[in-house]
């Protein structure tokens, strides 16, 4: 699963957490290259699915969107928890599902203001090398893409 946040109220904010079109396309390309045998499901609300679906159709990407299967935040969480891996570059609150589970995940987001990490790049006691958090105030997507290239996914 790939979380793609798109909140129309934040479009004009300088440091909004929405995933940009260019970031979306780079991440999808990397995931499709690295994990060709896996299906990709974009996790987002109705607005986000509609927004990112346009680019998927435009680029003829064969990916699914959470709103094809789910009509709520909780059901989106169930999709996340039943995936083989969760990816998020910036974004929003759906990350609580992998964060508080043992689901392998890769997240890149601004430095936390209210949370304390258990150890470098791991947020919880039960996290290990399969649960990785990149503190990234510069919105550097290259570090995120490099980390994707090193990941091995064990299909469940």
């Amino acid at each position: 699963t790939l979380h793609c946040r798109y909140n129309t109220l934040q479009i004009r904010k300088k440091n909004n957490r929405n995933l940009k079109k260019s970031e979306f396309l780079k991440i999808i390309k990397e995931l499709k290259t690295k994990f060709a045998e896996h299906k990709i499901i974009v996790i987002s609300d109705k607005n986000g699915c509609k927004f990112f679906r346009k680019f998927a159709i435009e680029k003829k990407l064969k990916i699914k969107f959470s709103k094809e299967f789910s009509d709520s935040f909780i059901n989106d969480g169930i999709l996340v928890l039943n995936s083989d891996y969760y990816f998020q570059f910036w974004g929003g609150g759906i990350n609580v599902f992998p964060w508080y589970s043992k689901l392998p995940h890769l997240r890149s987001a601004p430095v936390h203001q209210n949370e304390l990490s258990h150890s470098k790049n791991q947020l919880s006691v039960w996290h290990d090398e399969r649960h990785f958090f990149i503190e990234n105030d510069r919105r550097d997507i290259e570090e995120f893409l490099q980390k994707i290239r090193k990941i091995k996914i064990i299909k469940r």
Side-chain angles (χ1 to χ4, degrees), residues 81-93:
L81 291 173
N82 282 291
S83 66
D84 291 324
Y85 215 98
Y86 172 83
F87 297 92
Q88 179 181 327
F89 186 76
W90 284 48

Side-chain angles (χ1 to χ4, degrees), residues 25-61:
L25 294 174
K26 285 178 183 179
I27 293 168
I28 292 292
K29 180 182 177 189
E30 196 66 47
L31 292 175
K32 287 197 142 300
T33 300
K34 174 74 179 177
F35 308 111
E37 72 285 358
H38 284 78
K39 293 178 183 170
I40 298 171
I41 299 177
V42 169
I43 304 293
S44 196
D45 62 11
K46 286 179 185 174
N47 288 335
C49 285
K50 182 179 175 184
F51 180 76
F52 291 105
R53 183 179 281 117
K54 287 186 303 190
F55 309 128
I57 291 168
E58 178 184 300
K59 297 291 184 181
K60 297 181 175 135
L61 300 171

Side-chain angles (χ1 to χ4, degrees), residues 43-132:
I43 304 293
S44 196
D45 62 11
K46 286 179 185 174
N47 288 335
C49 285
K50 182 179 175 184
F51 180 76
F52 291 105
R53 183 179 281 117
K54 287 186 303 190
F55 309 128
I57 291 168
E58 178 184 300
K59 297 291 184 181
K60 297 181 175 135
L61 300 171
K62 294 184 179 184
I63 57 178
K64 300 286 186 182
F65 292 84
S66 61
K67 292 307 165 224
E68 296 171 31
F69 311 100
S70 163
D71 60 358
S72 71
F73 180 79
I74 296 297
N75 286 336
D76 286 349
I78 291 169
L79 289 172
V80 167
L81 291 173
N82 282 291
S83 66
D84 291 324
Y85 215 98
Y86 172 83
F87 297 92
Q88 179 181 327
F89 186 76
W90 284 48
I94 196 82
N95 67 64
V96 297
F97 288 93
W99 188 355
Y100 290 107
S101 74
K102 292 188 177 184
L103 176 70
H105 58 270
L106 171 61
R107 287 185 51 231
S108 181
V111 174
H112 283 156
Q113 302 299 317
N114 302 316
E115 300 90 358
L116 296 174
S117 295
H118 168 67
S119 60
K120 183 170 175 43
N121 302 108
Q122 272 80 37
L123 297 174
S124 299
V125 172
W126 55 87
H127 288 172
D128 58 28
E129 68 280 349
R130 298 169 306 131
H131 311 91
F132 204 84

